[in-house]
Amino acid sequence: MHELPIVVVPVGVDDDALDACLAALDLCTPPGTRVWLADDAQAGPRGHAIVERWMARTPLKADYTRRQRPIGEAAHLGEALDVCGDADVAVLAPDAVPAPGWLSRLSGCLAADRAIATATPWSNAGEAASWPRIGEIDPLPADLDRLARAAQGMPTLYPELPAAIGHAVLLRGSARKRAGGVDGASYGSWYAALIDLSLRLSGLGWRNVLCDSAFVARHGEGVPGDGDMDTLAVRWPDWHARLAGFLMSDPLRGSRERLTELLAGVGPPDPQRDLFH
């Protein structure tokens, strides 16, 4: 079995969300997975205590770094990804709650097609990758284990997305480097910088896809920084029309309906079944 990607979690200011994210990481990610908590001077005393307690107990191979002064979300993630070199990296939002099997399935997506540069899972707050309704924010699913088992039965079609989405995204290291990495100088938010990176990757012939078999829940959608959308509009004049066209045509409707059908048929869990593989 190939080595799983590095998971990078940019630590945020919401302590309760971070606590839930780290707990879900422990439950839903194979032991020994490399995880990097990258703190752009965001966590307060309680957040730091949550990180310390988690670091002492997690079965994952975890590291934590904290900057003395913040440099901004996009710039900080750009630095972290540069440090990871050619490695594939999954960036997980600090308020995300991954479902079982999330990372193995995202990794399998990149392994299945060498043209895939970014793989984004379903989410209840995933914009173009939202389930059960496109472009809407739904509450966190009540039973992520059942949803993960339903998603495992999805046909892996890896349909195209307008851009990768920030609740969780797996980035192919070699593609990321060829595209020039994250532009932390032009954008303040990861939300906008990820769209920009996705569009550059697409322009080079790479694919930004939905991993139809993986699900990562989130409390809310990402938001752009001040001026970020204006910068995007200047650099990528057709972006807004492209996104609007995708939302209106809704090419993922059949996939969402299939996931809903599979969820309705999911029975009790098999204790012998390993959801990580």
Side-chain angles (χ1 to χ4, degrees):
M1 181 179 174
H2 63 279
E3 188 175 41
L4 284 172
I6 301 167
V7 178
V8 172
V9 181
V11 175
V13 296
D14 187 331
D15 299 337
D16 292 333
L18 178 64
D19 199 14
C21 176
L22 297 180
L25 263 180
D26 277 353
L27 287 172
C28 300
T29 312
T33 299
R34 295 164 295 168
V35 177
W36 180 5
L37 305 187
D39 186 352
D40 187 32
Q42 298 298 301
R46 181 168 176 261
H48 189 68
I50 288 169
V51 169
E52 281 194 327
R53 184 174 69 245
W54 179 77
M55 291 281 294
R57 300 175 182 174
T58 182
L60 306 174
K61 186 178 178 182
D63 289 295
Y64 171 67
T65 59
R66 177 182 172 85
R67 290 188 61 87
Q68 291 293 103
R69 296 179 181 81
I71 58 171
E73 185 179 59
H76 186 228
L77 266 171
E79 278 193 353
L81 291 169
D82 287 345
V83 168
C84 294
D86 287 330
D88 298 339
V89 178
V91 179
L92 182 69
D95 63 341
V97 183
W102 74 285
L103 187 61
S104 298
R105 296 175 196 176
L106 285 174
S107 182
C109 181
L110 260 60
D113 183 351
R114 298 298 299 176
I116 294 174
T118 73
T120 301
W122 293 108
S123 182
N124 60 296
E127 303 176 24
S130 281
W131 175 91
R133 285 170 288 275
I134 191 170
E136 295 190 18
I137 302 173
D138 274 80
L140 263 65
D143 191 339
L144 277 176
D145 179 81
R146 284 187 70 237
L147 192 47
R149 286 187 286 128
Q152 191 173 33
M154 287 286 289
T156 48
L157 304 176
Y158 306 136
E160 207 84 24
L161 291 171
I165 303 159
H167 55 284
V169 58
L170 178 56
L171 303 162
R172 189 184 296 277
S174 57
R176 186 184 72 244
K177 289 189 72 176
R178 276 191 57 195
V182 175
D183 185 354
S186 301
Y187 302 96
S189 67
W190 173 235
Y191 175 92
L194 180 58
I195 293 171
D196 175 77
L197 176 59
S198 300
L199 295 176
R200 281 185 279 125
L201 287 163
S202 181
L204 291 170
W206 297 89
R207 302 181 64 216
N208 302 291
V209 307
L210 171 73
C211 181
D212 2 31
S213 63
F215 198 99
V216 172
R218 192 178 186 185
H219 291 276
E221 292 178 345
V223 293
D226 291 342
D228 278 353
M229 299 315 287
D230 292 335
T231 304
L232 270 177
V234 170
R235 185 174 290 181
W236 305 100
D238 66 338
W239 163 245
H240 292 293
R242 185 171 163 184
L243 178 60
F246 186 92
L247 295 173
M248 286 188 290
S249 63
D250 193 6
L252 299 182
R253 178 182 298 173
S255 294
R256 289 200 315 276
E257 291 173 349
R258 179 61 178 152
L259 180 54
T260 301
E261 291 169 2
L262 286 169
L263 180 62
V266 169
D270 178 354
Q272 302 302 314
R273 193 175 192 178
D274 185 357
L275 281 167
F276 295 139
H277 303 291

